[in-house]
mmCIF file of all heavy atoms in Angstrom:
data_model
loop_
_atom_site.group_PDB
_atom_site.id
_atom_site.type_symbol
_atom_site.label_atom_id
_atom_site.label_comp_id
_atom_site.label_asym_id
_atom_site.label_seq_id
_atom_site.Cartn_x
_atom_site.Cartn_y
_atom_site.Cartn_z
ATOM 1 N N ILE A 1222 -20.505 -3.679 -8.145
ATOM 2 C CA ILE A 1222 -20.122 -2.667 -7.253
ATOM 3 C C ILE A 1222 -19.141 -1.670 -7.928
ATOM 4 O O ILE A 1222 -18.601 -2.036 -8.943
ATOM 5 C CB ILE A 1222 -19.530 -3.176 -5.884
ATOM 6 C CG1 ILE A 1222 -18.385 -4.128 -6.193
ATOM 7 C CG2 ILE A 1222 -20.619 -3.856 -5.109
ATOM 8 C CD1 ILE A 1222 -17.718 -4.796 -4.954
ATOM 9 N N GLY A 1223 -18.971 -0.510 -7.323
ATOM 10 C CA GLY A 1223 -18.065 0.462 -7.949
ATOM 11 C C GLY A 1223 -17.132 1.007 -6.867
ATOM 12 O O GLY A 1223 -17.214 0.767 -5.734
ATOM 13 N N LEU A 1224 -16.220 1.908 -7.332
ATOM 14 C CA LEU A 1224 -15.219 2.515 -6.386
ATOM 15 C C LEU A 1224 -15.785 3.844 -5.984
ATOM 16 O O LEU A 1224 -16.366 4.586 -6.816
ATOM 17 C CB LEU A 1224 -13.911 2.738 -7.151
ATOM 18 C CG LEU A 1224 -13.022 1.524 -7.449
ATOM 19 C CD1 LEU A 1224 -11.926 1.943 -8.416
ATOM 20 C CD2 LEU A 1224 -12.476 0.922 -6.117
ATOM 21 N N ASP A 1225 -15.535 4.216 -4.728
ATOM 22 C CA ASP A 1225 -15.981 5.601 -4.354
ATOM 23 C C ASP A 1225 -14.889 6.612 -4.627
ATOM 24 O O ASP A 1225 -15.146 7.633 -5.299
ATOM 25 C CB ASP A 1225 -16.310 5.607 -2.883
ATOM 26 C CG ASP A 1225 -17.517 4.752 -2.575
ATOM 27 O OD1 ASP A 1225 -18.594 5.235 -2.984
ATOM 28 O OD2 ASP A 1225 -17.382 3.677 -2.019
ATOM 29 N N ASN A 1226 -13.692 6.349 -4.161
ATOM 30 C CA ASN A 1226 -12.594 7.309 -4.334
ATOM 31 C C ASN A 1226 -11.245 6.621 -4.408
ATOM 32 O O ASN A 1226 -11.024 5.508 -3.918
ATOM 33 C CB ASN A 1226 -12.504 8.262 -3.143
ATOM 34 C CG ASN A 1226 -13.592 9.335 -3.192
ATOM 35 O OD1 ASN A 1226 -14.416 9.369 -2.346
ATOM 36 N ND2 ASN A 1226 -13.579 10.170 -4.223
ATOM 37 N N VAL A 1227 -10.310 7.398 -5.061
ATOM 38 C CA VAL A 1227 -8.917 6.971 -5.084
ATOM 39 C C VAL A 1227 -8.135 8.098 -4.404
ATOM 40 O O VAL A 1227 -8.149 9.219 -4.847
ATOM 41 C CB VAL A 1227 -8.445 6.765 -6.550
ATOM 42 C CG1 VAL A 1227 -6.979 6.410 -6.574
ATOM 43 C CG2 VAL A 1227 -9.266 5.720 -7.202
ATOM 44 N N VAL A 1228 -7.473 7.744 -3.288
ATOM 45 C CA VAL A 1228 -6.719 8.756 -2.529
ATOM 46 C C VAL A 1228 -5.241 8.663 -3.013
ATOM 47 O O VAL A 1228 -4.614 7.620 -2.842
ATOM 48 C CB VAL A 1228 -6.818 8.493 -1.015
ATOM 49 C CG1 VAL A 1228 -5.938 9.489 -0.257
ATOM 50 C CG2 VAL A 1228 -8.269 8.589 -0.568
ATOM 51 N N ASN A 1229 -4.760 9.747 -3.640
ATOM 52 C CA ASN A 1229 -3.425 9.741 -4.093
ATOM 53 C C ASN A 1229 -2.570 10.592 -3.177
ATOM 54 O O ASN A 1229 -2.761 11.851 -3.056
ATOM 55 C CB ASN A 1229 -3.439 10.387 -5.502
ATOM 56 C CG ASN A 1229 -2.059 10.574 -6.083
ATOM 57 O OD1 ASN A 1229 -1.147 9.796 -5.826
ATOM 58 N ND2 ASN A 1229 -1.881 11.696 -6.781
ATOM 59 N N ILE A 1230 -1.626 9.927 -2.476
ATOM 60 C CA ILE A 1230 -0.762 10.659 -1.554
ATOM 61 C C ILE A 1230 0.531 11.094 -2.310
ATOM 62 O O ILE A 1230 1.266 10.221 -2.724
ATOM 63 C CB ILE A 1230 -0.432 9.834 -0.255
ATOM 64 C CG1 ILE A 1230 -1.753 9.329 0.360
ATOM 65 C CG2 ILE A 1230 0.341 10.711 0.718
ATOM 66 C CD1 ILE A 1230 -1.562 8.557 1.607
ATOM 67 N N ASP A 1231 0.742 12.399 -2.323
ATOM 68 C CA ASP A 1231 1.790 12.981 -3.199
ATOM 69 C C ASP A 1231 2.984 13.389 -2.299
ATOM 70 O O ASP A 1231 2.856 14.270 -1.475
ATOM 71 C CB ASP A 1231 1.245 14.168 -3.951
ATOM 72 C CG ASP A 1231 2.154 14.690 -4.991
ATOM 73 O OD1 ASP A 1231 2.969 13.882 -5.475
ATOM 74 O OD2 ASP A 1231 2.120 15.897 -5.337
ATOM 75 N N VAL A 1232 4.128 12.762 -2.521
ATOM 76 C CA VAL A 1232 5.340 13.074 -1.715
ATOM 77 C C VAL A 1232 6.582 13.009 -2.655
ATOM 78 O O VAL A 1232 6.603 12.151 -3.538
ATOM 79 C CB VAL A 1232 5.525 12.038 -0.612
ATOM 80 C CG1 VAL A 1232 6.770 12.397 0.247
ATOM 81 C CG2 VAL A 1232 4.357 11.927 0.319
ATOM 82 N N SER A 1233 7.518 13.947 -2.434
ATOM 83 C CA SER A 1233 8.702 13.967 -3.326
ATOM 84 C C SER A 1233 9.626 12.820 -3.104
ATOM 85 O O SER A 1233 9.676 12.237 -2.021
ATOM 86 C CB SER A 1233 9.414 15.313 -3.184
ATOM 87 O OG SER A 1233 10.157 15.279 -1.957
#
Side-chain angles (χ1 to χ4, degrees):
I1222 53 182
L1224 288 169
D1225 293 290
N1226 284 114
V1227 176
V1228 176
N1229 172 38
I1230 308 183
D1231 191 25
V1232 183
S1233 74

